[in-house]
Amino acid sequence: MRPIAALSTVLMFAWVVTCHAQKPRFHVLAFYTEKTEADHVDFARQAITFFEAEAKHDDFDWKATTNWGDLNTTNLKQYQLVVWLNDSPHETAQRTAFQQYMEHGGAWLGFHFAGYNDESTHWPWFVGDFLDAVFLTNSWPPLPAKLIVEDRSHPVTRGLPDTFISPANEWYIWKPDPRASKDIHVLASLSPSNYPLGMKDTLAAGDLPVVWTNTRYKMVYCNMGHGDKIFTSATQNQLVKSAILWLGGTAEK
Ligand code: ZN
């Protein structure tokens, strides 16, 4: 190879490597708070560590913030995916910006307390149209539970076993149950074999969806997210990773 040709080959290679390194496949903005229940903060911090590693491995851009004011229309234009690690916006402007983002093709991944709601929430779109689930009560203390993977063909749950043990979590049960909505596709639920579940607060029976998507939006809710054991299951980690890649738009359909 002539020197000029050799040099241009080297430069082309360097250009390809540089572009590959500098161009993330999608951009994620995660919100959390440190002014809440300690177990919820533990999860959020571990989730940030987990997703930072995944971002390097799978070439996406990951940013986490405690500033919920960043949930505004101008800022959200930079991101293909918003993640809520155990909290949700409380101000009307932030809620409105999020709804508009979701109604115009944005994606959302929410964990545990991000889906919590009660009579003080006052956000009918989120509770009744988007999450499609009203919090009823929870189990206590946090315990592992056997989950049933209901749809193993969905990109989020593809490749998972029929059932797996999900690490210790505080489990929420809902009424109305999200399964009652025609828009909700349940991906994983609590196995009835866990009942009675809990000691201080016991769940005795009932359908308990754990991971679902609302087919009218690009979203996934995961009830896992209480305490520092959540990322100790390789199977569950695979589910979480598949969720972020699907929502970011790069997973195989
Ligand atoms: Zn909790």
Side-chain angles (χ1 to χ4, degrees), residues 21-113:
Q22 288 183 348
K23 197 147 190 262
R25 296 193 290 172
F26 57 93
H27 299 265
V28 186
L29 181 59
F31 292 88
Y32 70 111
T33 181
E34 295 188 323
K35 295 177 185 137
T36 187
E37 197 173 336
D39 283 346
H40 289 175
V41 180
D42 283 349
F43 166 76
R45 288 179 178 155
Q46 288 193 348
I48 289 166
T49 302
F50 177 84
F51 286 124
E52 278 175 351
E54 287 303 326
K56 285 200 186 92
H57 186 263
D58 283 310
D59 285 335
F60 62 87
D61 174 53
W62 166 270
K63 184 182 174 197
T65 181
T66 55
N67 180 14
W68 288 79
D70 285 349
L71 197 62
N72 66 71
T73 299
T74 304
N75 190 42
L76 290 180
K77 286 195 173 92
Q78 305 172 68
Y79 298 97
Q80 285 73 50
L81 172 59
V82 165
V83 177
W84 295 353
L85 303 168
N86 273 339
D87 205 359
S88 57
H90 302 283
E91 294 188 13
T92 303
Q94 296 163 8
R95 290 176 167 188
T96 302
F98 176 71
Q99 180 177 342
Q100 288 174 352
Y101 172 75
M102 291 308 304
E103 287 175 343
H104 293 87
W108 176 81
L109 176 60
F111 291 93
H112 193 58
F113 194 67

